[in-house]
Amino acid sequence: MTSGDVAIGWSEARDANLANWEDRVPLHEEAYGLDAYDDPAHLSQVVRDDLAALEPFAPSVAGLDVCHLQCHIGTDTVSLARAGARVTGVDFSPAALVAAARLARRAGVEATWVESDALDARAAVEGDFDLVYTSIGAICWLADLDRWAAQIAALLRDGGLFYIRDGHPMLYALDEDASGLQLRYPYLPNGSAVSWDDASTYAGDGTVAHTRTYEWPHPLSEIVNALIAAGLRILRLDESTLLPWRFSERMVPVAGGWAWPADERRIVPCTFTVVARKAD
């Protein structure tokens, strides 16, 4: 349930979101199917798809130093390590990082875990990276994309790559409960957050105690322009009809995830992907 636009400071919103994400950790450890990582060949489907998208620019991540921003409980970070990368996972949730470290030990991979907001990552993380990686469901939790992009640029070595695949901002403007494709939430920003009060999470059936969260709308133009302003060169921008989670009950299962019914699939994109490079 949403209560619409709210004028709220970053610190207050961040603290509310942190309490919510701390509650999510044990629920997601149950819901994410972590037993699959007992197979030493297992990679998350998210990372399998992302490695394929990265292949024209980085044929392999083996031997690369990779920083995964907003890594949550580390399933994708561990998958990148299994693909041969030297990984550093960054998240603002202490409970998530404990769970991520536990998963890495279980999977038998080496990883470094750093507690930090994505907006302060450069000061918190040691070293420079060949690839900074961000994936699904991440940047809606950040108020300031210029600051976010500046962290990415500062973390990258010259010539390094940035990769993001996330929910499309057009998707996030839709009413997930409507009987058709109907706009409900803001696509364009005005400095306010959108406030939510919801005890559920996107995975599993459990509920959280801290139900209030805050998100910020970021149109595609803002995302791309923030990266350009930070000194990154956009190499590729793609939009997809496929989503790795079920945004709406009306979505139908397809190979690799979820999509709108066939007659609506070409109307609204579900994800976007950006590959960018820091100048040499």
Side-chain angles (χ1 to χ4, degrees), residues 92-116:
F92 77 151
S93 164
L97 293 175
V98 169
R102 184 161 50 238
L103 176 62
R105 289 193 298 271
R106 176 176 175 175
V109 303
E110 295 291 328
T112 299
W113 307 103
V114 178
E115 181 184 333
S116 174

Side-chain angles (χ1 to χ4, degrees), residues 31-274:
Y32 270 38
L34 299 187
D35 289 349
Y37 291 85
D38 293 340
D39 175 359
H42 178 77
L43 305 181
S44 70
Q45 187 61 51
V46 167
V47 164
R48 289 184 183 277
D49 292 341
D50 291 342
L51 291 177
L54 267 169
E55 189 172 2
F57 312 98
S60 171
V61 296
L64 299 186
D65 293 310
V66 177
C67 182
H68 181 188
L69 297 180
Q70 297 172 268
C71 68
H72 191 37
I73 64 171
T75 51
D76 296 334
T77 326
V78 165
S79 297
L80 290 166
R82 278 192 165 162
R86 293 182 293 271
V87 296
T88 297
V90 180
D91 201 88
F92 77 151
S93 164
L97 293 175
V98 169
R102 184 161 50 238
L103 176 62
R105 289 193 298 271
R106 176 176 175 175
V109 303
E110 295 291 328
T112 299
W113 307 103
V114 178
E115 181 184 333
S116 174
D117 290 297
L119 300 184
D120 300 313
R122 176 63 284 179
V125 176
E126 294 184 2
D128 300 321
F129 295 88
D130 302 300
L131 172 67
V132 173
Y133 172 89
T134 296
S135 198
I136 298 294
I139 61 173
C140 62
W141 302 100
L142 305 178
D144 186 345
L145 288 197
D146 287 332
R147 183 171 164 187
W148 164 78
Q151 306 304 302
I152 293 163
L155 287 164
L156 284 171
R157 296 180 177 130
D158 291 346
L161 290 172
F162 171 63
Y163 177 92
I164 182 170
R165 176 166 60 109
D166 208 334
H168 200 288
M170 192 67 244
L171 177 82
Y172 291 154
L174 293 175
D175 185 344
E176 67 274 34
D177 298 321
S179 59
L181 296 177
Q182 179 176 317
L183 293 172
R184 179 178 179 184
Y185 307 111
Y187 179 85
L188 297 171
N190 66 357
S192 298
V194 177
S195 173
W196 297 85
D197 191 357
D198 187 355
S200 67
T201 86
Y202 56 83
D205 299 323
T207 57
V208 298
H210 298 88
T211 59
R212 178 70 64 178
T213 58
Y214 300 90
E215 300 179 29
W216 288 265
H218 298 300
L220 204 54
S221 57
E222 181 188 6
I223 298 163
V224 169
N225 287 333
L227 295 169
I228 292 172
L232 302 183
R233 181 165 62 91
I234 306 299
L235 303 178
R236 183 82 185 179
L237 169 62
D238 287 305
E239 297 166 289
S240 171
T241 62
L242 185 67
L243 198 66
W245 85 97
R246 197 176 192 182
F247 171 81
S248 167
E249 291 299 319
R250 296 180 55 253
M251 284 189 153
V252 297
V254 295
W258 300 87
W260 293 112
D263 61 339
E264 298 175 351
R265 207 161 293 168
R266 293 177 57 232
I267 299 175
V268 176
C270 291
T271 64
F272 74 92
T273 301
V274 172

